[in-house]
Amino acid sequence: MTTVLAMRAIGKSFPGVRALDGVSITVAEGEVVALLGENGAGKSTLMNILAGVFKDYEGEIEIGGEVAHIHSPKDARRHGIAMIHQELNLVPELSVADNIFLGRERAILDRGATEARTAELLRGLGLDLSPGTLVKQCKIAERQLIEVAKALSQNVRVLVMDEPTSALADAEVRRLYEVIRDLTGRGVAVIYISHRLEELQEIADRVVVLRDGQYIGERTGINRDELIQMMVGRPLGEMFPRADGDTEGEELLRVEGLCVPGDRDTGRTALRDISLTVRSGEIVGVAGLMGAGRSELLESIFGAHRPSAGAISLHGAPYRPRSPKQAIDRGVALVAEDRKAQSLVLGNSVAFNASLSSLGRYLRFWTVDRRREGTAVEQQVRALRVKTPGLRFTVGNLSGGNQQKVVLAKWLLTAPSLILMDEPTRGIDVGAKAEIHALMSSLAAEGKGVLVASSELPELLAMCDRILVLCEGRITAEFPRGQATQEAILEAAMARQQETM
Ligand SMILES: Nc1ncnc2c1ncn2[C@@H]1O[C@H](COP(=O)(O)OP(=O)(O)OP(=O)(O)O)[C@@H](O)[C@H]1O
Ligand SMILES: [Mg+2]
């Protein structure tokens, strides 16, 4: 096989952080190489260097046997490198077509051709969107696929995908695999970053492991335990620590006949006649395909949307939150799906973000007691093992997974009695994932209620006392722990409306 890309002795420092130190990797034509490592290991940084995000770095990049000077995104494009970034880079106010061809003026001038080409790309990815749709109207999974389309619209030799499937459901993941196989069949080299080890088994020819900015080793066969040992460098806690929960606890949340109108502009799914309960001490899961209404359900309980019918009670008392603020005041927290847009002020510090929703707890004589705030934040940041140089570090400069942990810290600091979690382990490495699962269990053991939506069925199956299945905004099934299977859940998730009437 011909080597198409070699990165040699790459180093990169940020203030206070040595993100990469002497890392070398090579990739051959038509090969899929996976980058594996804990949150903050340096995966995105290495690939950002390749994509020209950083002007300065140490080491050398060779493409097609020649030294390539890559110091801007334009340089990278010229060398046939395309990257799908972990934190999506689309412009919400522009259309799908404009986003895909952004920065290429010729394409913008010939609108007809651009739209036709966009339609073709979208079709290839099985995306049912028109080229003129504004990106802000697209769901997060759709945005991820639009990023893929954007990369494919260029003439690529090396395609980098930084957690491309984190927002995708099974069927979409399959489609993405087909696209990857098609590309590698044509000689394109793919570098693939993912925390889902099962995925690597399926798609990667070789796995390169990074830890703390250093190259640890690589393997062609995928031995799960060995890879985890390589990336974590310490023994790991049990994967899904969940004993049978307390399903006899007091009723915490009751939702009855809840209807919430949809929204065409934002693509919000309407909820129809939703009834459910969550007891204290229980972890209840919400399964469903993309667009089934999982996020909408959690957001509605969090007071973000106005219901048109139905009633909710909390601790046996009526609960009609008109805003998230009112929900927080009643002890409800939502760990949202889209951390960048909904949860973090990226330009501010870890401490600022973590205490954002719980400031009221640190008020003394109308000023914030910074010391108490600092102690509480520090404890939580340590408990969740957030990798940050300090509490005053800018959140936007943390690795993706560590940003997600700050979101969790922020909500735990509000000391909620009901915690709504939307994809809580997306983008989280295996080690931290086990920690978050342990945390969910201990929250339940403390008598809190947890309602968790996830597109990872193994996670729901292992963690939940009960699983509700949503399809097109309705609950189509409910399984107690022990009776839920992957097949049964998928079947209910795809149930058509007439069958449920
Ligand atoms: N712009 C930046 N400024 C300062 N520090 C940064 C910046 N970008 C990354 N870092 C730091 O570099 C280290 C490596 O981060 P990187 O994003 O490469 O990790 P990662 O392996 O992609 O992790 P994840 O799995 O969480 O996405 C982290 O400690 C991070 O905080
Ligand atoms: Mg990353």
Side-chain angles (χ1 to χ4, degrees), residues 43-44 86 162-163 399-400:
K43 306 176 297 289
S44 296
Q86 182 172 17
D162 197 349
E163 299 192 38
S399 78

Side-chain angles (χ1 to χ4, degrees), residues 38-45 48 86-87 162-163 193 195 398-401 427:
E38 284 187 291
N39 294 132
K43 306 176 297 289
S44 296
T45 304
N48 282 333
Q86 182 172 17
E87 307 296 338
D162 197 349
E163 299 192 38
I193 301 178
H195 288 293
L398 290 180
S399 78

